[in-house]
Amino acid sequence: MAEGQEIPIVDFSSFGLNKDTADVSEGELQALGDELYRAFSTIGFVYLKNHGISSQQVTDVFEVADTFFSLPAEIKGKYAFSLETNDGWVASNRERLNPERPGDFKETFDILTQPKKGFPKEVPAFPRVCEKFIAQCTELSLRIMEMMTIGLKLDRTFFAQSHKLIFAGANGTTLRCLRYPPLPADTDIKPGQVRCGEHSDYGTITLLFQDGVGGLEVQNVGGTYVPAPPITDTILVNIGDLVQRWTSDQLKSTIHRILIPKEECAKRQVRRSLAFFVNPDDEALITCLDGSNKYEPIRTIDFVNMKLSATF
């Protein structure tokens, strides 16, 4: 199949979390950087294998999230999301990622790297499990971004310099735990409603951890939606809008969605995923690196707030 029509799988073992980066040859780095560039400049998504985050860690986060989502709505409501804090619980139907559709049929719990609402006291294991996971996702993201600089022919520290504050507060990097509820026959689904509306992600990159249910679709270079099914022990990584602006469209922030399943058996299943949204520091000014001014300069915080205000 032609490049950009399907999502490639990239072996990240040469720069994964289990690898001492001092032991990696320049040739290995160049090959890995080029491979990521080809994927991110065409379809905008890639599956990473041998990345260094264990499947048990992912399972542990799913389990504490499941415990939270099983709580009564009045308890979850104590941690309700607000645009002032950009973290907390988002009830089903509240978020609308595609403004032309009804609210998305999902609920989420959003956790900043410096949580403002705090972790739910009703789930004691939540902080321990998620803080470790967030730290690993952050380190892996920095390694991925370093490899992105190779294909873009940038200084290797370029993205690190604009993501210094991930654990210092002035940065909106977020772990989002998602639950897509089952759809029994008597569920009231609005016309045009989907589990997650057509959208692109806002920031730098996203790491997506899927359960075994599937349902994600990605728009390829031909404008056709292709499945992005779960592949065991891989992470699905995609480019966000700010990188597309930064690179003047060299790297693609690709539209994706999750529809309501057509099969009755799939409708009755819970679907879960974990999305780690990496953002530049709030005050980072995103300007076109080629000097083209194809996109006007904008601060991260202004761009993200503009996008969020359109979805809630």
Side-chain angles (χ1 to χ4, degrees), residues 12-266:
F12 205 69
S13 57
S14 61
F15 213 59
L17 296 184
N18 297 326
K19 183 79 170 184
D20 184 341
T21 57
D23 296 336
V24 188
S25 71
E26 286 301 315
E28 287 177 297
L29 294 178
Q30 187 67 52
L32 181 56
D34 289 346
E35 200 169 4
L36 287 178
Y37 181 83
R38 281 194 297 273
F40 289 149
S41 61
T42 53
I43 198 166
F45 275 74
V46 67
Y47 290 101
L48 284 193
K49 66 178 184 178
N50 299 319
H51 43 74
I53 296 179
S54 73
S55 58
Q56 185 58 55
Q57 281 187 275
V58 178
T59 298
D60 290 346
V61 180
F62 276 136
E63 287 178 353
V64 293
D66 287 345
T67 302
F68 172 76
F69 289 132
S70 69
L71 296 171
E74 57 268 24
I75 299 294
K76 292 185 284 189
K78 294 193 302 182
Y79 306 96
F81 180 94
S82 71
L83 289 174
E84 289 71 33
T85 62
N86 286 343
D87 64 349
W89 176 58
V90 180
S92 185
N93 293 288
R94 185 178 174 206
E95 185 177 41
R96 182 185 292 111
L97 286 174
N98 181 346
E100 297 181 1
R101 290 187 182 271
D104 294 348
F105 200 75
K106 68 175 189 291
E107 62 177 320
T108 75
F109 189 73
D110 295 359
I111 307 162
L112 292 167
T113 54
Q114 294 287 305
K116 296 175 183 176
K117 290 188 179 296
F119 289 96
K121 296 179 176 60
E122 295 80 4
V123 189
F126 223 137
R128 173 182 56 81
V129 170
C130 288
E131 286 170 357
K132 179 181 180 183
F133 185 68
I134 286 170
Q136 288 220 302
C137 287
T138 299
E139 175 58 28
L140 179 61
S141 298
L142 290 170
R143 293 189 181 206
I144 294 168
M145 290 187 287
E146 186 174 345
M147 290 301 94
M148 287 164 54
T149 64
I150 292 175
L152 291 167
K153 298 179 172 57
L154 298 173
D155 184 281
R156 289 262 292 274
T157 66
F158 175 80
F159 287 116
Q161 293 301 312
S162 54
H163 294 74
K164 289 179 179 178
L165 303 178
I166 288 181
F167 284 104
N171 180 292
T173 295
T174 302
L175 172 63
R176 166 168 272 202
C177 305
L178 299 106
R179 179 183 185 271
Y180 302 87
L183 303 166
D186 58 353
T187 300
D188 184 20
I189 298 295
K190 302 178 181 68
Q193 189 171 33
V194 295
R195 281 183 161 171
C196 185
E198 295 84 353
H199 69 286
S200 56
D201 293 343
Y202 310 149
T204 310
I205 60 173
T206 302
L207 311 186
L208 182 69
F209 303 79
Q210 304 187 74
D211 69 3
V213 175
L216 178 65
E217 295 181 343
V218 171
Q219 192 176 63
N220 66 19
V221 293
T224 301
Y225 280 97
V226 296
I231 298 177
T232 303
D233 294 331
T234 68
I235 303 171
L236 194 57
V237 183
N238 64 281
I239 292 297
D241 295 340
L242 287 177
V243 167
Q244 181 163 331
R245 294 175 72 100
W246 243 330
T247 64
S248 303
D249 298 339
Q250 265 188 277
L251 304 189
K252 309 296 185 186
S253 179
T254 304
I255 301 292
H256 47 288
R257 68 186 183 185
I258 303 171
L259 301 182
I260 300 291
K262 294 180 180 179
E263 303 81 7
E264 285 301 319
C265 60

